[in-house]
Structures are given as structure tokens and as C-alpha cells.
Amino acid sequence: MPRKPWDLAFAAEPREVAALRRIMRLHLGHWGLHEVIGAAQLCVSEMVSNVITHVGPGTPTTLAVSMSGTYLRIEVRDPDTRTLPTLLDVSTDAECGRGMALVNALADRWGVQLRGEQKVTWCELPTDLSSADGHTGGPGVTRADAILSLYGSANPPRTSAPLSVALAEETAIDVIADLLHWLRAHGRDADEALDRAQMHFETGSTEII
């Protein structure tokens, strides 16, 4: 699953924060990164709120989201290179100053970079991915990817383009059909095997019986 970097320019206003959270939920859902949506939304909220509080409402700002290996990278860019976010040791009842402390708690790493006349506050969140373009879903999905790759090598498509999701789905169906033929050829009940596979799928079991 390709996850292309994207960015969005906006004016840093309190009313924009909720919209940015919705956008993050939609994009990360499309990327299959459901497990980091909550943390990503909080990080975006705190980093944008930091711009509003310390640089000023209405500041031209850009949200950029990309993959850094298997990490989700979030950047908030603004034009003020004088005011740098810092990690403050604040008490739990403090009214302000907890923004970057929350980002620090949620993210695996974060920092601030100066790029010309632009300041970039960034953080990276760990995911369950085995590669930047891989899938979540645990070892079962990883094994399925390996099987489909091997099957595709034995039965190359007519085009040299990478497998689309639709074509991969057809390949997966072919694999299932061939496995059922194999079971029947060895005297096993294909329908019973399908029922057991369905039970394993619904319970998330990968036990080999």
C-alpha cells in the first residue's frame, strides 16, 4: 500500500484544530493506520495550538504528513524562527506549557528544525508496519503478503506494473481455490477446511491444528 506524503496549508486558528483532527482521521484510516489515529490527532492539536499561542492566531501554517520508515512523521511548519517549542517541566495543574510534554509522551521522538525562514516542529509515532508500504494486521497479513508475492512470481501478470489491490484480490482468490483443490486431492474435506478457516479468521486465531 503506497503512502504518499501530503501537506495542507492553513491559517492557525482555534477553529481549524477540529478540522485538522478530522482530516488526520480520514487520511490515516485510508492508510490503514487506525492504531495511531488518536495519538496523531493529539499531536497535531498540541503542535498547532503551540503555534496559535506562541506565534499568534492567523499565522500561515502547513501540516505535512509522511512515512519515515515504519514511523508516521507529522510536521507543523510556520514562519517564526525566533520562538522555538521547548519541553517544560510543568505541574499537573498548570494551565499552559503542557503541549510539548504531551507530544513527548505520545511520540517516539520529536524535535524542531530551522529551514531557511521556516520553523518545522515534528514528531514521529511508531506503527505496526513491517515496512513503509506494508500492511498492518499482524503476522497473518505478513505471511499472506509473502505467499501472494511467491504466487505472483510463479504466475506473472501481463503488465510489469505493481499489483493493484484489485489484482492482488484476484490472486488471493486463486490461491484459496488452489489450496482447496490440494486438500481435495489429498482426501480432505474442502468445505470443512473453509469452515475452520472462517472460524480462525473471525477469532483472529493462527493456531495450527
Side-chain angles (χ1 to χ4, degrees):
M1 174 187 293
R3 298 178 175 88
K4 296 181 180 179
W6 58 272
D7 57 68
L8 176 67
F10 62 97
E13 299 281 359
R15 65 176 179 269
E16 295 293 336
V17 175
L20 293 170
R21 289 171 64 91
R22 289 193 296 270
I23 290 169
M24 288 297 293
R25 184 179 71 248
L26 290 172
H27 275 275
L28 297 184
H30 178 69
W31 279 4
L33 301 180
H34 302 280
E35 78 280 4
V36 296
I37 288 177
Q41 287 179 316
L42 283 172
C43 286
V44 168
S45 295
E46 296 303 328
M47 290 194 290
V48 172
S49 295
N50 196 70
V51 174
I52 296 170
T53 301
H54 298 288
V55 183
T59 299
T61 309
T62 299
L63 170 67
V65 180
S66 61
M67 296 302 301
S68 175
T70 60
Y71 287 83
L72 176 71
R73 183 179 178 90
I74 302 170
E75 297 183 356
V76 172
R77 307 166 183 168
D78 71 76
D80 188 345
T81 58
R82 299 168 300 172
T83 306
L84 303 182
T86 55
L87 182 61
L88 302 178
D89 183 13
V90 297
S91 62
T92 56
D93 59 352
E95 295 182 358
C96 61
R98 289 186 289 176
M100 297 315 297
L102 181 57
V103 172
N104 183 66
L106 292 169
D108 191 74
R109 46 188 177 249
W110 71 276
V112 182
Q113 295 176 326
L114 299 181
R115 299 176 184 170
E117 298 182 356
Q118 189 177 65
K119 176 176 81 238
V120 179
T121 305
W122 62 271
C123 68
E124 293 185 352
L125 300 171
T127 70
D128 293 336
L129 299 174
S130 58
S131 67
D133 292 333
H135 297 275
T136 59
V141 175
T142 301
R143 290 195 298 269
D145 276 338
I147 291 170
L148 290 175
S149 296
L150 289 172
Y151 209 83
S153 299
N155 302 275
R158 296 177 182 177
T159 174
S160 59
L163 286 178
S164 66
V165 173
L167 185 55
E169 179 182 4
E170 292 302 316
T171 302
I173 292 171
D174 288 342
V175 171
I176 295 170
D178 285 350
L179 289 173
L180 293 176
H181 284 301
W182 183 91
L183 287 167
R184 180 171 296 172
H186 286 77
R188 312 302 293 182
D189 189 324
D191 290 333
E192 180 185 353
L194 274 177
D195 290 339
R196 290 170 60 191
Q198 182 69 25
M199 290 176 58
H200 287 191
F201 171 72
E202 291 174 355
T203 61
S205 171
T206 57
E207 180 182 357
I208 299 175
I209 302 175

